[in-house]
Amino acid sequence: MNNKQYKKLTKFEESLKQSESGYYRALLSTDVNELADVYEELGYTISKSNRTCSRCILGMLQTLAKEYNAYATKLSQRKTTKTNNNE
């Protein structure tokens, strides 16, 4: 994941968190398509027809949540390291 993808996902942070609990609130088709674009950029695939499948969307959100959280952890570690090096 890169910073551009991370920033795109930031506006869906609530849906990503919900997916970790096994559900998500309804998303607009434009939002699903935006999420699917990031999903595919990360090397995963979801067909156009599966973008209307609630189970498929949940799986995509859960995968994106893992990627998002891993990247967020990496960013916070970088910030901590920079802060400690500057002291």
Side-chain angles (χ1 to χ4, degrees), residues 34-48:
E34 192 173 342
L35 288 162
D37 290 343
V38 174
Y39 188 68
E40 290 177 345
E41 287 173 12
L42 294 173
Y44 302 99
T45 57
I46 185 167
S47 68
K48 297 270 187 206

Side-chain angles (χ1 to χ4, degrees), residues 12-67:
F12 300 107
E13 191 169 0
E14 187 173 329
S15 293
L16 296 174
K17 284 182 183 177
Q18 290 170 349
S19 74
E20 293 174 316
S21 298
Y23 77 99
Y24 68 96
R25 295 189 196 272
L27 293 166
L28 297 172
S29 61
T30 53
D31 291 341
V32 172
N33 288 333
E34 192 173 342
L35 288 162
D37 290 343
V38 174
Y39 188 68
E40 290 177 345
E41 287 173 12
L42 294 173
Y44 302 99
T45 57
I46 185 167
S47 68
K48 297 270 187 206
S49 61
N50 285 345
R51 293 179 187 193
T52 58
C53 163
S54 59
R55 176 178 263 167
C56 303
I57 293 169
L58 178 60
M60 176 180 66
L61 285 169
Q62 289 172 329
T63 301
L64 287 172
K66 287 177 188 172
E67 296 276 356

